[in-house]
Amino acid sequence: MDHASLDAAHALADPVRRRLYEYVAASDGDVSRGRAAEALGLQRTLAAHHLDRLVDAGLLEVTRRKVSGREGPGSGRPANLPRRSGRELSLHLPPRDYELAARVLAEAVDRHGAEDALHAAARAEGKRVGAEGGDTPLPEFLRERGYEPEDAEDGLRLRNCPFHSLAREFPPLACGLNLELLRGALEARGEDGGRARMSPVPGRCCVVVSKNNED
């Protein structure tokens, strides 16, 4: 049993902590305790208490820096600024290890050169999930699948990679799978699959969904 994941689940069981976590995660960077409290309509001391609990559970991490924009005497003390943790936490009851199975399958494909078959399967699966999404707006469709889309000049940037662990070990394999999955999903929705294209950015998913093929 993964005790860290149990602690995280317990921390998120509180509705106030869950709202705070979602707010900090959506902010995509450091967030002051005062700003989080104001956004959720909480007292600062209450928000600070719950944010500390989220840090203890490994869901958030803290950076310390001055927020006044000044340096030297009189510039104030560094503030504790929470942001989403880079740790991955999962909970399966009874225990399961799907990540290990994914690594073994990826290793097999990588060794034996079955990328074409993998991409075809990913495209087909993308069409299946795209059809299931029906008329759900594309940003919401992507959000439901963990991509955390955000508007950008070139289209929809995806803040989160649902296959992050696999992509670290097998970047070309996982990113190619991801690309074909999203292209299949777009096609099933009656959209141009070519809008999904590779555009790696540090800390983001490797795929961007362009506004049109010329972006």
Side-chain angles (χ1 to χ4, degrees), residues 116-132:
D116 289 344
L118 176 68
H119 291 170
R123 192 82 163 233
E125 180 63 12
K127 290 180 179 180
R128 184 188 70 79
V129 298
E132 285 183 351

Side-chain angles (χ1 to χ4, degrees), residues 29-47:
D30 300 339
V31 178
S32 70
R33 296 179 176 188
R35 176 180 153 196
E38 182 179 358
L40 273 66
L42 303 172
Q43 291 184 346
R44 190 183 185 283
T45 53
L46 179 62

Side-chain angles (χ1 to χ4, degrees), residues 20-31:
L20 279 166
Y21 173 77
E22 291 170 351
Y23 175 76
V24 173
S27 298
D28 193 28
D30 300 339
V31 178

Side-chain angles (χ1 to χ4, degrees), residues 54-197:
L54 291 168
V55 171
D56 292 341
L59 291 161
L60 300 180
E61 59 188 20
V62 171
T63 59
R64 286 182 57 80
R65 63 178 175 84
K66 294 183 179 180
V67 295
S68 64
R70 306 190 306 272
E71 295 293 338
S75 61
R77 298 167 55 187
N80 291 326
L81 303 174
R83 64 184 304 157
R84 181 163 59 177
S85 170
R87 291 177 58 190
E88 292 188 14
L89 300 167
S90 61
L91 178 63
H92 300 285
L93 296 173
R96 300 286 187 258
D97 197 343
Y98 300 113
E99 187 173 329
L100 175 60
R103 287 202 303 271
V104 172
L105 291 170
E107 182 69 37
V109 171
D110 197 43
R111 287 185 182 183
H112 299 288
E115 288 88 351
D116 289 344
L118 176 68
H119 291 170
R123 192 82 163 233
E125 180 63 12
K127 290 180 179 180
R128 184 188 70 79
V129 298
E132 285 183 351
D135 296 329
T136 304
L138 183 58
E140 183 61 27
F141 172 82
L142 294 169
R143 189 173 296 108
E144 289 174 353
R145 282 148 189 84
Y147 286 100
E148 299 184 2
E150 63 181 4
D151 288 324
E153 290 185 2
D154 54 351
L156 286 174
R157 284 278 169 183
L158 310 177
R159 292 177 50 226
N160 184 56
C161 173
F163 316 110
H164 179 67
S165 294
L166 202 62
R168 284 185 303 182
E169 293 190 49
F170 305 93
L173 204 65
C175 293
L177 179 155
N178 192 24
L179 177 64
E180 294 302 321
L181 190 72
L182 289 171
R183 284 179 171 173
L186 287 170
E187 290 171 357
R189 293 169 51 85
E191 304 181 40
D192 181 5
R195 290 177 58 201
R197 60 181 176 83

